[in-house]
Amino acid sequence: MFGNVEQAQNFLESVKSGRFLLSFVMSYSQTCEIPGITIAGANSESMKYTPPADAEYLHYGYCKTIDNIPMTPDGKPTPALLTKTALESASIPHLTINAGSKITPQLPFIETGLSFGKNISVEPAMTDSEVSSAVEFGRIVGRNMASLTDCLVIGESIPGGTTTALAVLKAFDFDAKTSSSIPTNPIKLKNEVVDSAIKRIDSDHPYSVLAKVGDPMIAFVAGMLSSASAVSKVMLAGGTQMTAVLAFASKIGFNEENTAIGTTSYITNDQNANFTNIVKQIADIPAISVNPGLNNSKYSGLKAFSEGFGKEGAGAGGSIISSMLKTGNDSTKFLNLAEKEYDRLSSLSES
Amino acid sequence: MFGNVEQAQNFLESVKSGRFLLSFVMSYSQTCEIPGITIAGANSESMKYTPPADAEYLHYGYCKTIDNIPMTPDGKPTPALLTKTALESASIPHLTINAGSKITPQLPFIETGLSFGKNISVEPAMTDSEVSSAVEFGRIVGRNMASLTDCLVIGESIPGGTTTALAVLKAFDFDAKTSSSIPTNPIKLKNEVVDSAIKRIDSDHPYSVLAKVGDPMIAFVAGMLSSASAVSKVMLAGGTQMTAVLAFASKIGFNEENTAIGTTSYITNDQNANFTNIVKQIADIPAISVNPGLNNSKYSGLKAFSEGFGKEGAGAGGSIISSMLKTGNDSTKFLNLAEKEYDRLSSLSES
């Protein structure tokens, strides 16, 4: 635990015996199409399938919009494997929300009608009015979801998201270094993209700033947080992308007392990023980190997370924290369940 | 209360102190375009706007896809007014689900990707595979929703639905006379449509039968019931359309012990229909009826419900029952709240 430790303990204590609900928010930013900026999906063509594929995998245990299993050829699985393992071990329900994904998943999901974000290296991500409807729809969904649970866990899947997150944090003058899904974080490239995007900012209105350099996920999830934190506990489940949500939410307002951010130790230990420091700059809320113990895995594909591949995503960290609170499982037990799921998933490719 | 009274009391007792959640299922059947078959919406062109308009009204308190308020020129409001009054008086949350509506509402809703039903007087409503995906998606949504509440209340809005409901009940050999949104129920016309549709049945497989004479709402809600009743209490909120859901659900299986059907006394007292008798023929579950007391209203528009206009719809009956259980309100208190909402709604047309 980082930030205000007592706060974190109080937050965990207050949700321990309650009900959890994960909202899995799918989105897309064309920023991910900049060569070399992400590995969320093998190439710029396949990346748009990552959010729906993750949603389908979380839901069915396999994907429908892609034929293969959500795993790289050398056996590195999607972080959604950690999310799925966590949710199932604690029977935590989840709902899929489409907030600008380029492809819709083949399962029932909450539709918002939002369009995907543009490539911030060449043009504004959204119009101001697109930002305001994303926030408004986020508020509606957040109020709805919060009324159905005691702790609303919010995870995301948006290719290119760490770059737009970095741009948003910098645009709002936070000193930020964001994580990447690649161990060799392309910091130089990201900063070039971010700087060119920030040049487009021509107003200090938060909506206008986000429109120029952000993505629909940030606007939508910030809206969810602002309404949900008024009625229930909310745990933003993610790495530096969720700090960008927090940064924007701090401009539109939310209830800090009901809010925490939960992630994996692979994010909080990332030397290329400054996660906990960013959180502290933005808001006085607990930053909760969990070590999934994947470094002890017999599978190199799971071990990879602890070596900087993926690190986090699809709400993995927050879901693991929630599941451990509900079940009392420790990292060893969790690793065991994650390896079972890894076995099951791998076996699908053979069949 | 009708059917097994002790069962009904047990059901009410078991949900009284729990959490309620209304799923509002929007759909569409081209059967409503047969001249003279329905007044859900003034003419065949405007009827397709009724489900999204009701969803928007429930959500925002006003409509977005139509300019006017959901009320006939002579002041008869949508039955969703009763639903909204009930939900708000008891702070019962609701989610909108699109299961084949021709028009999508301007709010976040759960999308299923199902298409609307065809006019059963001229062609099959759906293909067998459309029925099976509707059931499958219903099962997924039902499982999801049930995990978020103690009692899942399911309401619907589908123009032309009482005719397809009649066809389904007859096709499954239940002796049924269904209600109508018109006091002078066009029974002769309906029976002609139903008989021509039933002639198309060429297999006794339930999916195939429903494909020929039903609608997507029936397939989807039956799927919801089958999975939801395994984990929580379920109240089908509606009139004879929900008995058709019950009829189909009895073919695919559901948990009777967790299931009840709730409606208004305007349905159970309808001399042109035999609601409680139909329920008894299908399943051993409680049929719960509430008198909203609208006959005592100072507004002819509200009184009209008690005189056979609308009678039920948008989950009104089940929502009123749920709200009275939760708040302890009686019909007088409810009528008072409904009249306040009627005032508010009417005033919107002036502004």
Side-chain angles (χ1 to χ4, degrees), chain A residues 24 26 51-65 94-98 103-111, chain B residues 98 109-114 133 136-138 140-141 144 220:
Chain A
F24 178 68
M26 305 187 307
D54 278 345
E56 289 162 355
Y57 164 65
L58 280 179
H59 205 101
Y60 300 107
Y62 58 90
C63 304
K64 291 193 165 194
T65 57
H94 79 280
L95 293 169
T96 302
I97 302 168
N98 178 23
I103 309 283
T104 57
Q106 295 178 38
L107 52 82
F109 60 93
I110 296 176
E111 181 57 281
Chain B
N98 178 23
F109 60 93
I110 295 176
E111 180 57 280
T112 62
L114 301 173
S133 25
E136 181 47 34
F137 273 10
I140 294 170
V141 174
N144 251 311
F220 183 82

